[in-house]
């Protein structure tokens, strides 16, 4: 087998891998768009339940004036994200924070309507979609880097011929 035959074989392999990576890129883009649509519909649904809560409790009970400001006491977020390595891939993962957390439901009173609880659950679900979307974005960027490496390799093979 000559060097030219080896280059042709490597070029075919590189083209095949490039095709596969491009198809994967398209599937990842489609998956990301689906997640973004899920985020949009979930947030709209959560806002609907917030509006219902505001209607039930009154305008002043559920408003931005009840939210903490810069002069409020400090507290830790109840949900945080951390980066983990799984099967050689970097991913984001939601982690519940147990220490020094404040229940945001208490900002609006002790007896809050069920719609406010539903809105909280819906927004927590939206966080899951956001993390999934971010993980897909990480995969898209990694896949794009691999495509560029293969293109450079292919260009190198053609220049050797």
């Amino acid at each position: 087998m000559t060097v030219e035959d080896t280059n042709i074989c490597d070029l075919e392999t590189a083209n095949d891998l490039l095709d596969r990576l491009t198809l994967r890129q398209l599937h990842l883009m489609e998956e990301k768009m689906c997640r973004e649509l899920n985020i949009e519909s979930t947030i709209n649904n959560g806002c609907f339940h917030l509006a219902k809560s505001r209607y039930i409790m009154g305008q002043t009970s559920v408003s931005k004036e009840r939210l903490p400001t810069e002069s409020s006491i400090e507290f830790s977020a109840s949900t945080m994200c951390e980066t983990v390595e799984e099967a050689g891939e970097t991913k984001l993962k939601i982690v519940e924070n147990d220490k020094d957390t404040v229940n945001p439901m208490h900002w609006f009173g002790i007896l809050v309507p069920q719609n406010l609880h539903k809105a909280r659950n819906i927004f927590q679900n939206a966080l899951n979609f956001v993390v999934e979307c971010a993980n897909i974005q990480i995969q898209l960027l990694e896949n794009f880097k691999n495509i560029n490496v293969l293109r450079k390799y292919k260009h190198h093979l053609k220049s050797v011929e």
Side-chain angles (χ1 to χ4, degrees):
M1 191 175 236
T2 65
V3 175
E4 211 172 279
D5 291 338
T6 306
N7 282 349
I8 290 172
C9 185
D10 286 346
L11 192 60
E12 288 176 7
T13 305
N15 283 333
D16 186 44
L17 282 172
L18 206 52
D19 290 345
R20 289 181 187 190
L21 285 174
T22 305
L23 277 174
R24 176 162 168 70
Q25 193 79 351
L26 290 172
H27 287 294
L28 286 171
M29 284 190 264
E30 180 183 18
E31 206 173 315
K32 185 174 182 253
M33 285 188 282
C34 288
R35 295 299 187 282
E36 288 172 345
L37 289 172
N38 287 342
I39 291 168
E40 182 182 355
S41 65
T42 303
I43 288 176
N44 285 340
N45 195 12
C47 288
F48 175 72
H49 284 287
L50 275 179
K52 273 181 141 177
S53 299
R54 187 173 179 166
Y55 178 76
I56 292 168
M57 294 179 68
Q59 288 185 12
T60 55
S61 294
V62 181
S63 67
K64 66 180 180 179
E65 284 77 31
R66 295 283 187 142
L67 298 175
T69 61
E70 290 180 7
S71 60
S72 301
I73 58 171
E74 287 192 21
F75 60 90
S76 299
S78 59
T79 304
M80 300 183 338
C81 250
E82 69 179 21
T83 306
V84 293
E85 282 283 328
E86 287 183 3
E89 290 183 346
T90 304
K91 290 186 175 185
L92 295 175
K93 183 179 175 184
I94 291 180
V95 178
E96 296 298 323
N97 187 6
D98 294 333
K99 58 181 180 182
D100 299 331
T101 58
V102 174
N103 187 352
M105 299 300 267
H106 293 203
W107 297 337
F108 305 103
I110 301 218
L111 296 172
V112 295
Q114 278 301 111
N115 291 94
L116 200 55
H117 289 285
K118 284 181 185 175
R120 178 190 61 191
N121 293 336
I122 289 169
F123 285 123
Q124 284 174 341
N125 194 25
L127 274 177
N128 292 328
F129 287 132
V130 168
V131 169
E132 288 175 11
C133 196
N135 285 331
I136 292 170
Q137 182 67 35
I138 291 169
Q139 290 176 10
L140 277 166
L141 291 173
E142 187 65 32
N143 202 44
F144 187 69
K145 287 178 190 175
N146 292 338
I147 287 172
N148 283 337
V149 167
L150 266 174
R151 283 182 181 164
K152 287 178 185 176
Y153 178 68
K154 203 172 128 179
H155 180 72
H156 172 72
L157 286 176
K158 286 182 178 180
S159 66
V160 171
E161 288 180 354

